[in-house]
Amino acid sequence: MVDVLVAPDREAEVGTLVEEHEEQPGFVRRYIFSTDHKIIGIQYILTGLFMAVVGTLLAVLIRLQLGWPEQQWPLLGRVLPGGFTDGVMGPEFYLALVTMHGTIMVFFFVSYVLVSGFGNYLIPLQVGARDMAYPFLNMLSYWVAFLSAGVMLASFFVTGGAAAAGWTSYPPLSAVPTAVPGSGWGQTLWILSMALFIASFTMSSLNFVATIFCLRARGMAMMRMSLTVWSFFISAILGLLAFPPLTAAAVMLLFDRHFGTSFFLPSGLVVANEVLPHQGGSPLLWQHLFWFLGHPEVYVLILPALGIACDILPVFTRKPVFGYRIQVYNLVAVGVLSMVVWGHHMFVSGMSPFSGEYFTLVTLLITIPMTIFGVNMIASLWGGRLLLATPMLFTLGVIAFFGTGGFGGLFLGNATADMQLHDTYFVVGHFHFMIGGVTLLATFAGIYFWFPKMFGRSMSEAWGKVHFWLTFIPFFIVFFMQHFLGLQGMPRRYYAFTSYEFLQTTMGQNVVISIAALVLMGAQLVFLANFFSSLARGRRAEANPWRATTLEWAAESPPPHGNFGRTLPVVHRWPYEYSVEGLEADYTPQTVSPREAPVTA
Amino acid sequence: MIQQSATFPRPHAADAESALRDDVVQLGVWMFLATLVMLFAAFTSAYIVRRSASDWTPLELPGILWVNTVALLASSGALERARVAGRRGRVSSARRGLATAAALGLAFLAGQLAAWQELAARGVYVPTNPHSSFFYILTATHGVHVVAGLGLLVYAVTRAWNGAPLDHGPTARLMTASTTFWHFLVGL
């Protein structure tokens, strides 16, 4: 009912906004300090892709050390004299690599491209709005995000190098500036960059929620929104509630480091043969505050990946997504549960067995909606006419990774098994499938799928397929094998793992993983080449090249400022009207009136 | 559903746009407050955890804090009166209320600084003991938000004095938003 009441009011807004959009802003206002959600979305995507290249180069170095430990690389020694002594990688540098690879990929690649990038680009288009609810805040959010990425990159160039306490920055390592070289300025910049990131993400999330609540087009009831929009909606709410506690923790960590407080530093800590003056603090407190952000964060990232997958599936099966309503309820259930499971990252922290039991229980509970979600995605394929275009291949990859990675999660979610597997490569393999693989493949699926809308040109299908297979197969080899390294007891983040006799047998496996990883990373060059050459020379795309139903395809490719011309679209049906019996076309866009085609949902 | 909307009385276009903007701004303020609740909840839970450690020594807080609390409460009351007066079109009363609220807010900040000075004079600094660390960080975080709130108030005061209408439009929205925000800070 609320929709119906708000709907007529919208006419007024249409009028003023069109006028606003008629004046042509200059180049700077249009492409650099733009308040247009589409430009901001593309800015986020390009920034995120740049950070991904940086993160990938770090991963190359990590794999070199793990595949060929302490090998001499004279050329690298000359390029990176700080990290290599006589061409051999130093252990401190390795720790900084691991830390920065994790931080950059989680916060600056996946968050920027998948959540902020696609979120900004798609939400107004898919709900039928002209822009975000607070366009200025949106621009501010991008530039704060840009600054945050800049500060993080700058930390490579300060004395002592980048932060080295892991992407989770556990104290005391992160709280004592003298602990390791990377605990110096690198760590301080890390904290500041994270605070900026959270501020920027909060601004984006405010925009996402307000736009979805207030600016939907006439007829766009909540239960007519695409699953992409639903997933952004839930993940934005999670971001608003889960991220601020880390700001609080970051402030306290900063005070511990620079102003002599003891929030996280316990008594009697000895660093470099000196007893530190701190006393009474609790390092575990940081872990709680970090994971209170950290766990919802993984859902903030993976829910949009799943939402995007659910929107691409029907287009390439030509049938509705299976169980739309159930999928929405699943997203809500996962959102709620994700706030109360953070302790499963801390099973070995000496928590009471009762807490362990509780966190095991809620973690296993959250697998129920997630499993239903996955099964519904498989059911969406059932009986469909599969068209194996590049976006569809990547979406099928999402389902495969989601199933494989999720299976490993069952072991880790259970305190008893986790005690054995904690901090081993089993964990590394697991989260790379989920927060790494599912999100990565969904990002690619989204880019191949919406590229024609964003730039008015299509990407090469042939190269897209090459890119898919060269990504999917090596990725699977790398991270599936890492599960077995973990079962053999190989701990994560160890530089000199070869010093342990029982790990000598893993050397061969590590070489195979490193080679597969190098193939995987090399394959991304195919993507970059395809992306940029398609920008310049790709085939011109029409408004709706995939014959899809959602609102963004009703706009031109690329959509003009204000998105929809003089009048906003009116929505008459749900977003998955495919292959309705008795109709000639196998799809009916959301804007088609009930007089022309029956409404099925 | 859709047919129904056609028979719904269509409000005046400008009013409708303004009402939509009202909703959007109000929703934004409430969501922002939700994030602040989580921020302070994190500090509070850390406080509770840390208090159970053996080195916790309670701090004797300066008496002026009570005066500050009263000042901030009074400021909130004045702002609420100004908002109501503004909505009813009583301009001068609204202006006076706004100015009083801003002045009392400034007084609060001055009082907090005085409290810090008193503590420092007693030799209690940030790292002295965990209670003082929390006291300084919490009051500083709160203070930063009060400064932001004051910024909004001063902006509202100048707009009100320059004759912007207070019963509708951007300034009224600004007043409602800053009032909500201000009440929240007082509550903290």
Side-chain angles (χ1 to χ4, degrees):
Chain A
M1 269 317 279
V2 175
D3 295 296
V4 179
L5 294 182
V6 170
D9 312 356
R10 310 296 311 284
E11 308 277 311
E13 203 205 357
V14 178
T16 49
L17 280 176
V18 166
E19 279 160 34
E20 259 173 50
H21 284 287
E22 270 168 5
E23 56 183 82
Q24 287 289 320
F27 178 82
V28 171
R29 283 297 310 279
R30 205 158 163 197
Y31 294 111
I32 299 178
F33 293 104
S34 171
T35 54
D36 185 324
H37 72 98
K38 297 183 291 297
I39 301 290
I40 294 174
I42 292 169
Q43 284 175 324
Y44 264 117
I45 290 174
L46 294 179
T47 314
L49 288 179
F50 174 77
M51 293 304 275
V53 172
V54 177
T56 307
L57 292 176
L58 300 180
V60 170
L61 295 174
I62 295 172
R63 279 324 308 181
L64 286 183
Q65 165 63 17
L66 291 174
W68 301 275
E70 289 161 77
Q71 170 97 20
Q72 245 192 335
W73 309 96
L75 185 67
L76 284 174
R78 227 172 302 153
V79 182
L80 299 161
F84 289 75
T85 30
D86 300 328
V88 178
M89 187 187 294
E92 294 89 358
F93 186 66
Y94 178 77
L95 285 179
L97 287 179
V98 181
T99 303
M100 295 302 279
H101 168 73
T103 307
I104 286 178
M105 288 307 203
V106 171
F107 294 108
F108 297 97
F109 166 47
V110 182
S111 301
Y112 281 9
V113 177
L114 192 64
V115 185
S116 306
F118 282 122
N120 269 311
Y121 195 89
L122 292 176
I123 288 173
L125 278 168
Q126 287 206 337
V127 302
R130 296 206 177 275
D131 207 326
M132 283 288 189
Y134 321 107
F136 179 77
L137 199 66
N138 206 16
M139 178 183 80
L140 198 63
S141 122
Y142 171 72
W143 285 104
V144 173
F146 186 82
L147 187 67
S148 160
V151 171
M152 193 55 86
L153 289 179
S155 73
F156 281 108
F157 304 101
V158 295
T159 332
W167 81 279
T168 52
S169 274
Y170 280 3
L173 195 53
S174 61
V176 184
T178 48
V180 287
S183 302
W185 272 105
Q187 188 68 44
T188 302
L189 290 180
W190 187 94
I191 295 171
L192 292 176
S193 166
M194 286 310 294
L196 289 172
F197 170 83
I198 293 172
S200 139
F201 214 83
T202 305
M203 292 187 251
S204 285
S205 300
L206 284 175
N207 250 322
F208 286 14
V209 177
T211 307
I212 294 171
F213 251 133
C214 301
L215 300 186
R216 276 169 289 134
R218 202 161 142 185
M220 179 63 90
M222 290 296 270
M223 284 317 244
R224 280 179 177 173
M225 298 191 317
S226 69
L227 284 166
T228 303
V229 174
W230 264 108
S231 64
F232 282 123
F233 184 59
I234 302 293
S235 89
I237 293 176
L238 283 182
L240 284 177
L241 297 179
F243 284 19
L246 192 74
T247 319
V251 169
M252 292 190 277
L253 189 60
L254 215 55
F255 270 71
D256 269 7
R257 293 170 53 76
H258 294 287
F259 303 107
T261 55
S262 309
F263 292 111
F264 303 124
L265 287 170
S267 323
L269 206 62
V270 180
V271 172
N273 293 325
E274 270 181 61
V275 182
L276 295 179
H278 300 274
Q279 49 179 322
S282 161
L284 277 182
L285 183 56
W286 168 272
Q287 297 194 15
H288 280 289
L289 292 172
F290 181 87
W291 286 114
F292 192 80
L293 161 136
H295 199 78
E297 160 77 359
V298 304
Y299 288 98
V300 166
L301 301 183
I302 207 165
L303 293 185
L306 297 176
I308 285 174
C310 281
D311 267 8
I312 295 180
L313 279 175
V315 179
F316 297 97
T317 55
R318 311 311 290 172
K319 69 188 267 282
V321 72
F322 188 87
Y324 168 75
R325 270 170 192 275
I326 303 289
Q327 296 296 70
V328 170
Y329 301 147
N330 280 333
L331 289 173
V332 176
V334 169
V336 173
L337 284 170
S338 76
M339 301 287 285
V340 295
V341 298
W342 77 92
H344 67 217
H345 295 268
M346 302 166 58
F347 282 141
V348 296
S349 67
M351 63 166 64
S352 112
F354 295 109
S355 310
E357 202 65 17
Y358 159 77
F359 282 120
T360 298
L361 194 72
V362 281
T363 305
L364 294 183
L365 262 185
I366 209 170
T367 61
I368 297 174
M370 287 271 83
T371 308
I372 301 175
F373 202 101
V375 171
N376 277 351
M377 288 202 289
I378 297 175
S380 301
L381 301 173
W382 185 259
R385 195 153 48 82
L386 298 199
L387 309 167
L388 294 179
T390 312
M392 181 60 169
L393 288 175
F394 276 101
T395 306
L396 293 174
V398 167
I399 301 177
F401 280 7
F402 187 60
T404 319
F407 187 64
L410 289 178
F411 296 90
L412 294 173
N414 188 325
T416 327
D418 182 75
M419 302 273 179
Q420 302 297 320
L421 298 169
H422 188 89
D423 262 355
T424 65
Y425 267 83
F426 193 92
V427 178
V428 177
H430 165 72
F431 73 68
H432 275 96
F433 264 122
M434 301 304 267
I435 201 178
V438 170
T439 53
L440 179 76
L441 295 196
T443 301
F444 286 137
I447 291 179
Y448 284 103
F449 186 64
W450 280 294
F451 192 91
K453 182 55 58 188
M454 289 181 177
F455 304 108
R457 290 176 184 276
S458 300
M459 287 179 80
S460 154
E461 271 292 305
W463 284 113
K465 285 179 180 146
V466 171
H467 173 222
F468 169 75
W469 290 109
L470 285 181
T471 301
F472 183 78
I473 295 172
F475 198 103
F476 206 92
I477 294 173
V478 170
F479 297 107
F480 200 63
M481 281 181 74
Q482 286 191 347
H483 282 79
F484 295 95
L485 283 182
L487 290 174
Q488 293 161 75
M490 181 169 170
R492 67 194 281 207
R493 290 179 180 154
Y494 275 32
Y495 164 81
F497 67 99
T498 42
S499 322
Y500 299 92
E501 210 185 311
F502 77 100
L503 290 177
Q504 296 291 349
T505 50
T506 64
M507 248 345 285
Q509 300 164 56
N510 269 310
V511 172
V512 174
I513 292 177
S514 282
I515 292 171
L518 292 175
V519 172
L520 168 65
M521 296 183 243
Q524 305 319 309
L525 294 175
V526 175
F527 167 75
L528 289 178
N530 191 354
F531 186 90
F532 287 107
S533 74
S534 302
L535 265 187
R537 291 195 302 274
R539 195 164 35 80
R540 290 257 170 228
E542 52 206 291
N544 190 359
W546 307 111
R547 295 180 298 132
T549 53
T550 38
L551 278 190
E552 76 272 30
W553 304 106
E556 293 165 41
S557 296
H561 282 263
N563 296 345
F564 293 105
R566 283 210 83 80
T567 48
L568 283 172
V570 178
V571 174
H572 297 286
R573 57 191 72 238
W574 75 321
Y576 305 109
E577 203 90 282
Y578 286 97
S579 303
V580 177
E581 251 178 87
L583 288 183
E584 207 169 294
D586 66 352
Y587 72 109
T588 317
Q590 284 186 284
T591 47
V592 173
S593 87
R595 277 189 294 276
E596 293 167 55
V599 175
T600 65
Chain B
M1 289 282 279
I2 304 301
Q3 274 76 8
Q4 237 176 328
S5 71
T7 58
F8 189 81
R10 186 162 292 199
H12 186 260
D15 287 351
E17 188 204 342
S18 181
L20 182 69
R21 268 337 279 178
D22 277 355
D23 287 351
V24 168
V25 170
Q26 235 5 44
L27 178 67
V29 171
W30 280 105
M31 285 193 294
F32 182 59
L33 293 189
T35 72
L36 285 187
V37 167
M38 292 306 290
L39 178 73
F40 282 93
F43 277 122
T44 311
S45 59
Y47 178 86
I48 292 168
V49 169
R50 191 65 181 77
R51 200 170 55 175
S52 60
S54 56
D55 66 330
W56 185 269
T57 36
L59 187 68
E60 206 186 307
L61 293 173
I64 192 170
L65 289 176
W66 291 106
V67 181
N68 298 348
T69 311
V70 172
L72 202 55
L73 276 173
S75 165
S76 201
L79 189 56
E80 181 63 28
R81 274 210 312 280
R83 188 184 68 89
V84 173
R87 292 265 152 184
R88 291 187 186 147
R90 298 204 306 272
V91 177
S92 61
S93 150
R95 283 177 182 171
R96 243 181 297 127
L98 262 179
T100 320
L104 283 169
L106 264 180
F108 168 81
L109 274 185
Q112 292 292 87
L113 282 178
W116 279 9
Q117 263 178 347
E118 190 186 326
L119 281 180
R122 272 201 256 147
V124 178
Y125 300 104
V126 178
T128 307
N129 68 51
H131 194 182
S132 73
S133 312
F134 270 109
F135 177 77
Y136 278 107
I137 288 194
L138 278 173
T139 47
T141 314
H142 181 249
V144 167
H145 289 93
V146 170
V147 170
L150 260 182
L152 278 181
L153 277 187
V154 170
Y155 183 57
V157 169
T158 45
R159 289 193 67 145
W161 242 262
N162 290 337
L166 298 178
D167 50 350
H168 67 274
T171 313
R173 247 189 321 269
L174 177 70
M175 273 177 68
T176 314
S178 51
T179 310
T180 313
F181 184 56
W182 200 247
H183 290 335
F184 172 77
L185 288 175
V186 175
L188 273 181

